[in-house]
Amino acid sequence: DAEELSPEDNMQELRVWGGGVANAQEDTLSRRVDKNASTLQVVVYKPDHTKGGILIRPKYHRGDRRGVQTFPVLTHMSIRLVPSVMPAEFGWRLPALKQLTLLLDLSVRPRWNRYEPGEGRRSIFDDGESYLRTALRTRLDRLVDSGDNGFAARVAATSPSLERVCLDLCSSEDSSQSCLPLLTVCRASMPWDVERLFHLINRKPDPAATGIETAERCHDALRQAWPLLLPLLKAQGWAPAWEVRVAPSPPTAQGLAVL
């Protein structure tokens, strides 16, 4: 575009935390992300309410709801767990994306239509929110699916650099924007039973082979090559391609109190 440069140019990070995003706001946000596509590295998009767009559409400001934009250096994106969104389906091409974080907001029911008169903030645990809890269970089932049809695999199909999908607890009412990690779906590493076998061969060769020159040369070669060989082996594809890792300890009461 032939637009004049503005303070928004070369933006590296965009955060929308809480509040509402209606047509006018989406138009402004769309213009910003489209104009700064080549420099954006981090996007956090978690409004409480939106009208129509549950993720910014990069070409919306041009009247194109299906337009596509490539973000070549964007490595981290955070969006809501509910409703479920595939960035590629909203026009985001993310070849460098390494981490996608799904945010579970405990303080407010997400709405993606107009505000209702007198509408108050409602938690997902309030009476009458059973439909949202059902949707939440569905999203979680898809998230922890480590197979080829799981959420992580589907995102990686269009973002080949993806390393992990995280699930974090948060609250729109928390001005510090703190997040508590619950679980991570990441690229599967070498299974421990396989790695253990290599370690045993490396460190505890068969006593029956002691004194056999060829066997001892083989073990010596393996011991010398092991520091280089192990990372190469771990980098190979292992089935399943993804694995679920749960946080080593549950959220603390102090951490939950912030939310």
Side-chain angles (χ1 to χ4, degrees), residues 37-51:
S38 63
T39 58
L40 266 176
Q41 299 177 21
V42 177
V43 168
V44 178
Y45 188 68
K46 196 197 67 62
D48 291 341
H49 307 269
T50 67
K51 180 181 180 297

Side-chain angles (χ1 to χ4, degrees), residues 185-204:
V185 182
C186 56
R187 297 277 184 182
S189 59
M190 178 190 295
W192 171 242
D193 55 348
V194 177
E195 182 176 346
R196 178 176 177 273
L197 177 60
F198 277 103
H199 280 296
L200 288 174
I201 297 173
N202 176 32
R203 298 179 179 276
K204 298 181 178 180

Side-chain angles (χ1 to χ4, degrees), residues 211-227:
I212 302 175
E213 183 179 356
T214 53
E216 291 185 348
R217 283 206 307 267
C218 180
H219 288 140
D220 288 341
L222 178 59
R223 278 191 288 269
Q224 294 176 32
W226 188 238

Side-chain angles (χ1 to χ4, degrees), residues 55-115:
L55 182 62
I56 304 166
R57 289 164 286 196
K59 301 297 182 180
Y60 180 83
H61 66 101
R62 293 181 174 178
D64 185 356
R65 295 172 179 268
R66 297 185 178 183
V68 174
Q69 177 61 280
T70 298
F71 299 83
V73 296
L74 196 153
T75 58
H76 290 72
M77 173 180 274
S78 298
I79 56 178
R80 282 187 171 278
L81 171 67
V82 178
S84 181
V85 172
M86 298 292 291
E89 295 176 358
F90 280 74
W92 292 72
R93 296 294 178 262
L94 306 170
L97 183 69
K98 294 184 179 298
Q99 178 173 311
L100 177 63
T101 300
L102 303 177
L103 300 170
L104 176 55
D105 192 335
L106 298 182
S107 68
V108 65
R109 175 183 67 175
R111 293 185 61 87
W112 39 95
N113 55 11
R114 292 185 182 275
Y115 286 101

